[in-house]
Amino acid sequence: MNETPVTVLGLGAMGTALARALLDHGHPVTVWNRSPGKGDDLVERGARRAATAAQAVTASPLTVVCVTDYPAVWKVLGAVGDAVAGRTLVNLTTGTPAQARDTAAWAGEHGARYLDGVVQASPELVGTPDAVFLHSGPRQAFETHRAVLDRLGTVHHLGDDPGLSCLYDLALLGLWYEAEAAYLNALATVRASGADVEAFAAFAGGQIGHVAQAAPDTAHQVRERRYPVGPAPLSVHLPVVGRLRDLRAATGMDTEPVDRLYAMIERRIARGHGAEGFTGLIEELTGQEAERRNVAPAR
């Protein structure tokens, strides 16, 4: 069976892993990198090295771009120009939704189909089901090249808006950063009080698990903008958070994160929502306070 030729622009650790996975599945692969000297091992495996980015793009109906950031993407595509006409670009570079939409507009102006994407995996996982790829952009372009994209890992199409993949990527990264920071704060609280952090960890996993298990229900509440009381109303949460703040202050810890949380709960209660559940704090986070009796649920 003849496999689809694919071009890979950018041969950092991730770009190299992408090209290697495609070669392993029998795809003719053309590679190009901004700085020379990369890709020798790929050429030895059978890849073709192009002299310019434009030559690389014209070698295949599908081009995967994976460079350091969007300014680098734009520099590369500026050199490619109209060579992209009639072809599909898949950009796997981390950035913002606005940057993704701008790049999609550029591709459309130059006659190309554009899929944005992000990789939720380390390079060594590329080519396995554990490598998760989030794509956004025209569904038809995704389906046309689905067989190729499946070779790289587990792929998901999020929607036609090209900015969705970057949105999900940054939101998921933020979830990890902030959850990890919250866990570190908990460990710091235990350590500063002279207790054993490893003994505490056995209980911490269960507490984190409660958040994960409730994720679908929490999202539903946020979508509907209805915040049931759950385990306790905000009026009960407030003094508990206050005691946590006092404990951290007494052990010399930075109390800024819990100060912000306390202030949000206070504001929410002051606006008449003390009988609601903790999920209602999202209205304070987004700055879009709305009375439920006046705002129809989002659909």
Side-chain angles (χ1 to χ4, degrees):
M1 181 173 64
N2 293 327
E3 300 291 355
T4 303
V6 185
T7 289
V8 177
L9 303 181
L11 298 178
M14 185 60 72
T16 297
L18 296 168
R20 186 178 297 121
L22 293 166
L23 287 167
D24 288 345
H25 284 284
H27 290 274
V29 176
T30 300
V31 297
W32 177 86
N33 194 65
R34 286 177 296 167
S35 56
K38 287 189 176 182
D40 289 346
D41 60 329
L42 296 172
V43 173
E44 290 176 2
R45 284 171 171 256
R48 173 180 174 268
R49 181 188 279 121
T52 67
Q55 289 178 8
V57 169
T58 57
S60 311
L62 175 65
T63 290
V64 177
V65 183
C66 188
V67 292
T68 54
D69 52 27
Y70 271 81
V73 171
W74 297 329
K75 186 174 293 185
V76 170
L77 294 182
V80 169
D82 292 334
V84 300
R87 305 175 192 280
T88 300
L89 292 175
V90 176
N91 180 26
L92 297 176
T93 302
T94 299
T96 68
Q99 289 174 321
R101 294 179 187 119
D102 287 346
T103 309
W106 180 94
E109 291 167 0
H110 288 77
R113 293 170 292 276
Y114 179 83
L115 286 172
D116 206 82
V118 296
V119 188
Q120 293 278 315
S122 54
E124 62 270 17
L125 294 178
V126 170
T128 75
D130 292 330
V132 175
F133 289 77
L134 307 180
H135 294 282
S136 55
R139 166 69 74 170
Q140 184 177 6
F142 175 77
E143 294 298 341
T144 297
H145 296 287
R146 175 74 182 260
V148 178
L149 299 175
D150 279 337
R151 298 285 173 75
L152 300 175
T154 301
V155 300
H156 301 272
H157 184 259
L158 304 177
D160 289 339
D161 176 2
L164 281 173
S165 55
C166 285
L167 173 64
Y168 273 47
D169 186 44
L170 291 175
L172 288 168
L173 288 170
L175 176 61
W176 183 86
Y177 287 130
E178 292 176 303
E180 187 71 4
Y183 182 41
L184 291 174
N185 266 308
L187 291 176
T189 302
V190 172
R191 186 178 68 178
S193 300
D196 184 351
V197 293
E198 290 188 315
F200 170 78
F203 300 93
Q207 192 77 336
I208 295 169
H210 292 322
V211 178
Q213 291 168 9
D217 187 50
T218 300
H220 180 73
Q221 293 176 25
V222 168
R223 181 180 181 185
E224 296 297 311
R225 301 186 89 152
R226 292 189 173 93
Y227 310 114
V229 65
L234 284 175
S235 59
V236 172
H237 286 299
L238 184 67
V240 176
V241 173
R243 288 193 289 274
L244 173 60
R245 179 179 63 181
D246 293 344
L247 173 61
R248 291 187 179 175
T251 57
M253 286 182 59
D254 177 10
T255 64
E256 183 181 359
V258 75
D259 287 341
R260 290 198 303 270
L261 176 59
Y262 190 91
M264 280 196 297
I265 298 175
E266 274 195 318
R267 286 198 305 271
R268 188 73 178 155
I269 292 173
R271 287 170 177 161
H273 300 283
E276 286 185 350
F278 195 83
T279 313
L281 290 182
I282 192 169
E283 302 294 350
E284 302 300 321
L285 291 170
T286 59
Q288 296 175 356
E289 167 64 24
E291 296 294 338
R292 291 193 307 280
R293 64 179 180 271
N294 296 325
V295 178
R299 298 292 182 188

